[in-house]
Amino acid sequence: MTGPVPVFDGHNDLLSRLWRAGAADRDRIWLEGDGSGHLDLPRMRRGGFAGGLFAIWVPSPETGTDIDALMRDPPFDLPLPDPVGTDTAQPAALAMAGILMRMERVSEGVLRLCRSAAEIRACLDADVIAAVLHMEGAEAIGPDLDALHVLHAAGLRSLGPVWSRPTIFGHGVPFRFPGDPDTGPGLTALGRDLVRACDALRIVIDLSHLNAAGFDDVAAVSTAPLVASHSNAHAICPASRNLTDRQLAMIRERAGLVGLNFAAAFLRPDGRRAVDTGWDPALRHLDHLIAHLGEDHVGIGSDFDGATIPGCIGDVTGLPAFEATLRAHGFDTPLLAKLLHGNWLRLLERVWGA
């Protein structure tokens, strides 16, 4: 393999950023970039971004609380936001699914919406960006689950039952530092139904943002590999959003995967949401995840466009520097190929089929 190792990323929030930008600016931001955020087509191409899971995420209403300021100065303990109703979430979710389809259309073949692992591999071979539709928080799906089938037909292949707020399906973990993911009750009866329906449709269930009880409930109900698309090691950074060694052992037992989250607040041992964060925390998390999961069960889940990213990475154009740092840390090309794309593709094949 020559040149940068392609990166398949387990989580980004570009769709939400484009949705909030408004229809008049979306194509320009996507195709040309406007200097904001972490992702656009020119920067993806420069950064070796081969594809990933593009999240539908509906933001909570503003409450006047300066969350960024609180997370810059731990300790912090943010209350869970109020629930978002299906009547609010569903139109936004459908709009974001439509935005990804429009991104595919206006890219003129540079990005492709993928519904199978074979399509992702074909994109990697053809140097086409492979986009998979993901949902972070299932508020857009009502109790009858009918919308799940519509979204699956549109390309939804990965779903987190909750973001960090309650839904009819379960309870999200609050943003707390220091904190533990054991923060309350788990899945509701509807949540267990949702997990069974996702298993039947071969939709990945994403454990990131679920609390410990919800994590355990998914493990008990689902027969699929356990996946946390963008979470880090609690032993390194004791944030409530990170995974304990007990949870990592369960993921390993189920041949699952954890995607390293670049969010500074979930990397740094002091929990600060700070741009002036160097490479060392990410390396410590990767070493810990590999030690507990094995090198076949760790990937990347950047949280681009959804988090404060360390300045050493900056945005998607920092991925080659990240690769160079991993090489200097002693990771060889075969291991980098696993961490940066191979493990995600094999995980998706285990859930979706080839």
Side-chain angles (χ1 to χ4, degrees):
M1 183 179 295
T2 60
V5 177
V7 176
F8 187 88
D9 178 26
H11 187 88
N12 75 70
D13 286 293
L14 176 60
L15 298 182
S16 291
R17 183 161 71 90
L18 294 176
W19 176 69
R20 290 192 296 266
D25 293 322
R26 286 170 192 154
D27 287 357
R28 177 180 58 83
I29 293 171
W30 161 233
L31 294 173
E32 303 173 15
D34 66 351
S36 69
H38 302 127
L39 295 169
D40 52 52
L41 182 54
R43 284 185 288 176
M44 286 180 184
R45 300 305 264 174
R46 293 202 304 273
F49 184 93
L53 275 62
F54 287 66
I56 292 170
W57 175 72
V58 180
S60 294
E62 293 292 336
T63 63
T65 301
D66 191 341
I67 293 174
D68 188 62
L70 292 173
M71 293 183 71
R72 286 198 303 267
D73 187 24
F76 53 81
D77 186 359
L78 307 183
L80 289 173
D82 291 336
V84 173
T86 303
D87 57 343
T88 298
Q90 196 169 94
L94 292 175
M96 288 181 227
I99 288 169
L100 184 54
M101 293 176 184
R102 181 170 179 84
M103 289 167 60
E104 178 183 43
R105 185 166 65 254
V106 301
S107 77
E108 299 182 342
V110 178
L111 176 140
R112 180 180 178 187
L113 175 57
C114 295
R115 295 172 173 83
S116 70
E119 289 178 342
I120 297 173
R121 290 194 181 278
C123 285
L124 263 66
D125 290 342
D127 194 27
V128 171
I129 297 169
V132 176
L133 189 62
H134 167 74
M135 177 171 280
E136 185 177 33
E139 288 92 345
I141 299 169
D144 56 16
L145 305 185
D146 289 344
L148 177 68
H149 298 275
V150 174
L151 289 162
H152 178 263
L156 184 72
R157 293 296 182 270
S158 176
L159 178 146
V162 301
W163 180 67
S164 287
R165 63 188 169 216
T167 74
I168 61 174
F169 303 112
H171 301 268
V173 66
F175 294 108
R176 182 180 295 165
F177 185 92
D180 185 276
D182 187 8
T183 60
L187 296 181
T188 64
L190 283 173
R192 292 189 286 275
D193 289 343
L194 176 64
V195 170
R196 294 186 189 99
C198 286
D199 270 12
L201 292 168
R202 294 191 169 188
I203 294 173
V204 171
I205 297 291
D206 185 11
L207 299 163
S208 291
H209 288 282
L210 271 170
N211 62 14
F215 180 108
D216 291 347
D217 287 342
V218 171
V221 173
S222 175
T223 59
L226 299 178
V227 178
S229 69
H230 59 304
S231 295
N232 293 336
H234 191 270
I236 305 298
C237 170
S240 56
R241 266 278 282 111
N242 284 340
L243 298 166
T244 64
D245 288 351
R246 179 189 73 86
Q247 292 173 314
L248 296 179
M250 292 173 68
I251 292 170
R252 179 168 185 157
E253 289 170 6
R254 293 281 285 272
L257 184 140
V258 175
L260 177 78
N261 191 330
F262 288 161
F266 307 139
L267 286 172
R268 296 174 61 104
D270 63 7
R272 289 181 58 228
R273 180 185 277 191
V275 173
D276 61 339
T277 299
W279 295 111
D280 182 66
L283 296 174
R284 291 180 62 192
H285 282 277
L286 272 178
D287 287 343
H288 190 89
L289 293 174
I290 291 170
H292 285 261
L293 294 166
E295 64 181 36
D296 294 328
H297 303 288
V298 181
I300 303 301
S302 71
D303 219 350
F304 282 143
D305 280 328
T308 297
I309 303 297
C312 56
I313 301 172
D315 60 24
V316 68
T317 61
L319 290 176
F322 178 61
E323 178 190 331
T325 299
L326 297 183
R327 288 188 185 278
H329 190 60
F331 293 179
D332 60 16
T333 297
L335 177 55
L336 288 173
K338 290 182 178 184
L339 299 177
L340 298 183
H341 63 267
N343 287 342
W344 262 118
L345 269 60
R346 285 182 286 275
L347 178 279
L348 297 176
E349 287 172 339
R350 289 196 291 277
V351 180
W352 300 347

